[in-house]
Amino acid sequence: MTEGNTQHWQALGRRHHLPPFSDYKALNAKGSRIITRAEGVYLWDSAGNRILDGMAGLWCVNVGYGREELVQAAARQMRELPYYNLFFQTAHPPVLELAEAIAEIAPAGMTHVFFTGSGSESNDTVLRMVRHYWAVKGQPQKQVIIGRWNGYHGSTVAGASLGGMKAMHGQGGLPIPGIEHIDQPYWYGEGGDEDPEAFGVRMAEQLEQKILQVGVEKVAAFIAEPIQGAGGVIIPPDSYWPKIHEILARYDILFIADEVICGFGRTGEWFGSDYYGSAPDLMPIAKGLTSGYVPMGGVIVRDEVAAVLNEGGEFFHGFTYSGHPVAAAVALENLRILKREGIIDRVRTHTAPYLQRRWRELADHPLVGEARGLGMLGALELVKDKRTRTRFSGIELGMRCREHCLDNGLVMRAVGDTLIISPPLVISEAQIDELVSKARLCLDLTAGEVE
Ligand code: PMP
């Protein structure tokens, strides 16, 4: 691969491409890094550099790159039936077999699936489905959905509204009406001197306060990620989910656990809700469902909710690519790989404990205020003063460190001054060692610039 190619592709990007979540002027001044191929947990760029993908793409390549079984599943399905819709009282084998396979691994009592093309579409579906559900139940005034500040549920109008990213709300007049937000259980960032468990309870109690403020007769649902991903791998204190469960049991509202990141093994269980012992009514899924090889999402629905929808006449909602046969065939094969190779069990019993032990060693670095993680997720909080948790001002330290990582063969993502990882679930212990030592090198390089 030659330099010339890189410049050619970068020029095409400048001339024709508007990539997602990008500052176009800044990106065009610099040029994109061109990723040309991948295998296992590694990416290669057009200059021939090998990069350890500490983010599994965008939290999705759970079984790793280069899986010939998935290629074959897609090719077989493309030859047999590349496309057909599910609108005309029609269905096809892959979508039905996939729905059954998901019902088998989902939490008890969740045996129905609505398919979409992405996580955002799944959350748009959820918004319409819960409002429709309450209308069918004769309570059409139950419309309000409560989300959390700094939660992420996608980039469509409903997804971004349910999410609590203020920068996203600032563009395009979001959130749409009927959506409220409560604070996040981000102890390191917002807990100050409070005991973490007391903080967790206090943040959970905001849900009850919000329900009472809005009026329970108007509240349709609460939506949350089991662990906030895009917000910065925010792992709630142990007291948080039990308190939320207690509040949910007291009021007649639906619970939506957004499993787009936590689903399909990220925590060492099939779903984040399994890890936390939650019993959601709806679970948006995507990403790890197909390990990102083709786009697909869905919503797993509790049987009681499905029974109400059953009585509701036509649900006027769906997508051309709902349950796309090629995506469904790939998803089925991906679930088979996860099972056949015991990948999630290995995460739970071996690689996640190992990653978490090694990752926490980084807490001794002068820039690292906290090194936390759970399952195959990790975060580092970069600070100037560990005792007071004061951040550096006027320099984008997280971005700088992220750049050093890329230059030294590691993908870590920066959310402000929080660095995060979410590697493929198949990463080995030796590759975890490589990840941690590269992370340390990049922290050193970053520290060298701010001294
Ligand atoms: N929900 C969560 C929890 C996510 O992390 C994401 C994507 N990062 C989405 C929804 C949106 O998914 P998509 O980008 O596939 O629309």
Side-chain angles (χ1 to χ4, degrees), residues 336-409:
R336 286 191 196 113
I337 293 173
L338 286 169
K339 283 187 195 162
R340 189 166 64 229
E341 299 183 9
I343 290 172
I344 299 175
D345 285 342
R346 196 162 54 94
V347 164
R348 187 178 57 251
T349 57
H350 284 89
T351 38
Y354 187 72
L355 172 68
Q356 296 306 332
R357 184 165 65 71
R358 297 282 350 257
W359 187 249
R360 278 169 178 70
E361 291 169 11
L362 295 169
D364 70 2
H365 193 277
L367 282 186
V368 176
E370 183 181 69
R372 63 171 176 269
L374 194 160
M376 290 309 234
L377 291 165
L380 301 175
E381 299 282 4
L382 303 189
V383 289
K384 190 169 175 189
D385 182 334
K386 292 193 189 211
R387 201 180 49 79
T388 59
R389 300 183 206 161
T390 311
R391 305 279 185 180
F392 285 86
S393 61
I395 32 174
E396 292 189 316
L397 204 68
M399 284 300 274
R400 282 192 187 211
C401 191
R402 187 192 87 161
E403 289 305 305
H404 284 304
C405 288
L406 270 172
D407 291 341
N408 287 280

Side-chain angles (χ1 to χ4, degrees), residues 122-276:
S122 300
N123 284 313
D124 277 50
T125 299
V126 146
L127 178 128
R128 300 202 55 222
M129 195 180 265
V130 302
R131 289 179 174 177
H132 176 53
Y133 163 89
W134 286 113
V136 174
K137 280 190 68 144
Q139 293 176 263
Q141 73 289 354
K142 273 173 102 66
Q143 293 273 306
V144 175
I145 303 179
I146 301 171
R148 303 184 300 180
W149 293 118
N150 202 38
Y152 189 82
H153 301 295
S155 193
T156 50
V157 169
S161 294
L162 293 168
M165 299 289 177
K166 289 183 181 162
M168 292 175 78
H169 290 176
Q171 291 176 337
L174 302 179
I176 55 170
I179 293 173
E180 298 278 337
H181 296 87
I182 60 172
D183 287 329
Q184 56 179 339
Y186 181 21
W187 177 76
Y188 189 83
E190 298 173 359
D193 292 334
E194 195 172 353
D195 167 68
E197 300 312 322
F199 174 77
V201 169
R202 197 162 61 77
M203 290 304 103
E205 282 169 348
Q206 284 198 12
L207 175 60
E208 183 160 40
Q209 288 150 17
K210 185 60 89 176
I211 293 169
L212 296 175
Q213 180 203 327
V214 174
V216 66
E217 72 288 354
K218 293 201 184 120
V219 180
F222 171 59
I223 183 168
E225 302 153 83
I227 294 166
Q228 284 158 264
V233 181
I234 294 162
I235 301 162
D238 289 343
S239 59
Y240 183 77
W241 282 115
K243 190 73 196 173
I244 292 278
H245 297 155
E246 195 187 306
I247 294 165
L248 288 167
R250 209 171 297 151
Y251 298 96
D252 192 19
I253 66 173
L254 297 173
F255 174 35
I256 306 159
D258 185 337
E259 294 274 1
V260 168
I261 285 177
C262 290
F264 306 100
R266 187 61 47 204
T267 64
E269 302 287 343
W270 276 103
F271 295 96
S273 294
D274 297 325
Y275 183 88
Y276 285 116

Side-chain angles (χ1 to χ4, degrees), residues 82-88 90 92 95 114-117 121 296 317-325:
Y83 177 75
Y84 199 68
N85 78 76
L86 310 172
F87 286 41
F88 303 156
T90 46
H92 46 66
V95 77
F114 187 104
F115 288 103
T116 71
E121 285 180 12
M296 183 176 232
H317 179 80
F319 307 101
T320 300
Y321 301 130
S322 283
H324 192 287

Side-chain angles (χ1 to χ4, degrees), residues 40-43 51-61 65 233 266 355 359 376-378 405-406 409-413 419-425 427 431 435-436 438:
V41 300
Y42 294 103
L43 307 165
I51 306 165
L52 173 57
D53 186 2
M55 279 304 295
L58 211 39
W59 329 81
C60 54
V61 187
Y65 298 96
V233 181
R266 187 61 47 204
L355 172 68
W359 187 249
M376 290 309 234
L377 291 165
C405 288
L406 270 172
L410 172 66
V411 175
M412 279 213 277
R413 182 170 171 187
L419 290 168
I420 57 181
I421 54 158
S422 168
L425 304 186
I427 191 170
Q431 290 162 338
L435 188 158
V436 173
K438 284 194 162 145

